[in-house]
Amino acid sequence: MKSPLWFVVAGLIAMAGFVAAGLYLWPRLGSVDAGLIRVVVPGNAALTLDKPGTYTIFHEKHSVVDGKYYASDTVTGLRVELVDEADGAPVPVVEPSISTTYSTANRGGVSIFAFTIDRPGRYRLTTNLAVGQAVLAIGQGVFGAAFKLVGATIAIVFAGLAVAGIIVLLVIWQRSKAST
C-alpha cells in the first residue's frame, strides 16, 4: 500500500460516496410528502387515518390536487373542525408544537394546525375559509421522514469519506514506515 495510486483510489471512493448519496436521495425526494392527504378548502372531507398519534395540518401555498393547480399565500380566517365518525366526538385542533415547512418541486407547505387521535379510523374534516380556495395537507411524521432521509444521505457521504480517509492514513503510515 505504498503506491501513490492508492491516493487516487481513495479519491474515487470518496467521490463514489457522494454519487451513492445522490442516487439514494434523488428517487426518495418526492416520498417525504407522499403520505400526506390533500384537501381543497373550504369544504368537507372524510379522512381515513391509519395510525394513532399526532397529525399535522399544513397549508400548501402552491399545490396540485386532481390535476388542478392551486396557489394561496394566506388562509386568513380559516376554521377547521375534526370529528371522529365512529362516535361523533370532536377532536381538538390546536397550534402545532413546532413550526415545520417543506418544499418540493411542485409543492410547499407550512404547519398551521395539529391534532392527536387515540385510535385509527374515519374522521370528518370540516373547513371554512372566508375568501378563495386553498389546499391543506394532513399527515403524520413528515418531519421525521425528512430527518431520516437527510440523515441517511449524510451517513452515506461520511461512509465514503471515512473509507477514503482510512486508505489515505494507511498509505501515509506505510510510506512513513518504509522511509525509516
Side-chain angles (χ1 to χ4, degrees):
M1 287 194 73
K2 298 174 196 168
S3 171
L5 287 177
W6 282 104
F7 291 119
V8 174
V9 170
L12 290 173
I13 290 173
M15 287 192 313
F18 283 100
V19 169
L23 291 173
Y24 174 81
L25 178 65
W26 187 255
R28 291 168 178 81
L29 275 176
S31 68
V32 171
D33 72 338
L36 295 174
I37 302 166
R38 288 181 174 77
V39 177
V40 178
V41 298
N44 300 317
L47 307 176
T48 302
L49 305 176
D50 298 334
K51 299 176 192 170
T54 301
Y55 286 77
T56 304
I57 300 175
F58 297 92
H59 166 224
E60 286 196 337
K61 295 184 178 191
H62 51 93
S63 186
V64 176
V65 177
D66 296 329
K68 185 175 178 183
Y69 178 77
Y70 294 88
S72 60
D73 289 330
T74 181
V75 286
T76 301
L78 174 68
R79 293 173 102 41
V80 175
E81 295 176 0
L82 189 66
V83 175
D84 186 341
E85 286 189 348
D87 61 8
V91 177
V93 177
V94 298
E95 290 183 42
S97 58
I98 61 170
S99 178
T100 308
T101 61
Y102 62 90
S103 181
T104 62
N106 59 349
R107 292 188 169 102
V110 60
S111 58
I112 57 173
F113 294 116
F115 62 89
T116 302
I117 60 170
D118 296 330
R119 63 177 185 268
R122 287 180 50 91
Y123 293 82
R124 172 67 51 189
L125 179 74
T126 304
T127 61
N128 191 351
L129 184 61
V131 178
Q133 287 185 310
V135 175
L136 300 182
I138 299 119
Q140 186 179 44
V142 174
F143 180 74
F147 187 76
K148 283 185 206 175
L149 183 61
V150 169
T153 303
I154 291 171
I156 292 168
V157 168
F158 278 122
L161 291 174
V163 170
I166 289 170
I167 290 171
V168 167
L169 290 175
L170 285 174
V171 171
I172 291 170
W173 179 63
Q174 289 287 327
R175 293 181 90 177
S176 69
K177 268 183 42 177
S179 67
T180 57

